[in-house]
Amino acid sequence: MSSVIARGASALLALAGIVSCNTVFTDQSDCPRGLSLRFVYDYHMEYVNSFHKQGHCVNVYVFDESGNYVDNWVETGEVIKDENWRMRKQLEAGTYTLIAYGGLCCDGTSFIPPQFKSRSPEAAEDSRVVLKCDRQVSDKSLHPLFYGTTTVELRRDDFVEDTIYFKKNTNNIRFVLQQLNGEQIKADDFDVRIVDDNSTLDLDNDPVPAGEITYLPWVSGEKVIGTQEDGQTPVSAAFYELSTSRLTTATSPRLIVTNNATGETIINIPLNTYLLLLKSELYADMPAQEFLDRVSEWSLVFFLDSGNRWYNARIIVNDWVVRLNQAEL
């Protein structure tokens, strides 16, 4: 009987705690107040949260309902690696728009954060996130960048829990060239680049025209992948890895490959068109932009004929063999 009484007393105490935080007739000094934010990155093809594994820092820009800049909350500690971690902050009653970035305030960030010099709506609208580059050329492996936003409404003494869902803004593209006849190939024989106009993103995460940027490989080389039919002559392939800002259907990125010996452009294709060849019919209803946002690591294999020209009947995209009847360049 005593255990039953004890359990009943515990239940009453718990109920008292709930009541004390939801009524004006009791002391609410111990009740939680303010905002609790969770950060989730599941906008990829696995659909599971992995921000605690991929994120290194997070900051949140706060705007009031008039669009005025209010504050910038920053966290760069090890707590981010804990999936149960929440950012807890105090705000006055009101409606707020929160714009969050993962990877923008890290020491190794690849982007220049927006600089709010005033609290006016105009300053907020004109702010941009800009890729660090030298004379419109980027040849670095970009630090991952994530973007998310939400709107919250707080009343006096409220405790609000909300989640910011991230999209990943950076891509890594591994590009491979191989001879159909098995001849060896060297990475230095070719110039590989991606050109786009996506170095600047606004607070809605959309690209802002800022001039064409050229992405060059941050690593390249050759690898022996087997031997010819004689069992002795090595077969090699050249590889290149390029890292880009967000790929969108609003711009027209192109992959361009030039033969350094002859100056001939052997590949000049609309990159998005070929990346979207990977989209399975299982995702037929998924919009193109969603697919480009969900996939951040890509691999492309192109085959060359004996004259080092693209044999444009077949490519491999992320391990999928794609046979082309007509290649629209």
Side-chain angles (χ1 to χ4, degrees), residues 43-308:
Y43 204 77
H44 47 73
M45 300 307 291
E46 286 74 34
Y47 294 84
V48 294
N49 180 30
S50 59
F51 184 68
H52 59 293
K53 296 180 180 179
Q54 298 191 37
H56 301 94
C57 61
V58 63
N59 68 298
V60 181
Y61 295 101
V62 184
F63 302 90
D64 65 20
E65 57 189 336
S66 298
N68 297 307
Y69 169 65
V70 176
D71 205 350
N72 178 23
W73 302 331
V74 176
E75 180 57 65
T76 59
E78 291 293 307
V79 292
I80 293 175
K81 296 181 180 180
D82 181 0
E83 192 172 7
N84 296 315
W85 169 71
R86 303 291 185 268
M87 177 182 278
R88 290 187 167 89
K89 295 291 181 179
Q90 297 294 324
L91 277 174
E92 296 181 0
T95 300
Y96 298 89
T97 297
L98 310 179
I99 298 176
Y101 293 92
L104 187 60
C105 57
C106 300
D107 290 338
T109 183
S110 298
F111 292 81
I112 302 171
Q115 302 295 323
F116 300 103
K117 297 180 180 179
S118 72
R119 299 188 176 213
S120 69
E122 292 77 15
E125 291 173 0
D126 292 340
S127 296
R128 308 285 188 256
V129 173
V130 181
L131 177 67
K132 295 178 181 179
C133 60
D134 183 15
R135 299 180 182 180
Q136 293 298 97
V137 174
S138 175
D139 59 358
K140 303 291 191 301
S141 175
L142 300 184
H143 189 285
L145 180 68
F146 303 85
Y147 168 91
T149 184
T150 190
T151 299
V152 296
E153 181 179 356
L154 285 85
R155 294 173 296 182
R156 184 175 179 273
D157 295 332
D158 263 0
F159 177 67
V160 175
E161 296 178 292
D162 202 355
T163 300
I164 292 182
Y165 292 93
F166 280 127
K167 296 178 181 179
K168 194 172 184 179
N169 276 352
T170 44
N171 296 268
N172 194 71
I173 301 172
R174 188 172 177 90
F175 177 74
V176 176
L177 286 174
Q178 182 181 344
Q179 280 273 8
L180 276 173
N181 59 14
E183 292 180 2
Q184 294 192 53
I185 191 171
K186 294 183 178 180
D188 289 343
D189 292 342
F190 302 92
D191 175 88
V192 176
R193 61 187 59 214
I194 293 171
V195 294
D196 200 357
D197 189 356
N198 65 341
S199 63
T200 303
L201 302 171
D202 64 19
L203 291 182
D204 292 321
N205 208 35
D206 295 323
V208 177
E212 190 174 86
I213 183 170
T214 298
Y215 297 99
L216 298 177
W218 58 269
V219 67
S220 62
E222 310 90 28
K223 284 189 176 181
V224 175
I225 58 175
T227 61
Q228 295 188 22
E229 293 181 359
D230 60 13
Q232 297 180 350
T233 305
V235 175
S236 66
F239 66 87
Y240 312 80
E241 288 199 46
L242 305 91
S243 191
T244 77
S245 180
R246 187 183 182 212
L247 298 172
T248 72
T249 57
T251 63
S252 303
R254 298 192 74 86
L255 172 65
I256 302 171
V257 180
T258 304
N259 185 321
N260 286 331
T262 65
E264 178 187 5
T265 298
I266 61 172
I267 298 175
N268 186 345
I269 60 172
L271 181 62
N272 285 350
T273 300
Y274 283 76
L275 296 183
L276 289 169
L277 289 174
L278 171 63
K279 188 159 73 82
S280 166
E281 288 304 307
L282 294 173
Y283 308 106
D285 295 332
M286 181 182 290
Q289 185 58 62
E290 179 177 346
F291 186 74
L292 291 173
D293 283 331
R294 283 188 178 273
V295 182
S296 61
E297 294 187 7
W298 309 85
S299 61
L300 293 165
V301 181
F302 285 74
F303 297 91
L304 304 180
D305 63 19
S306 57
N308 277 341

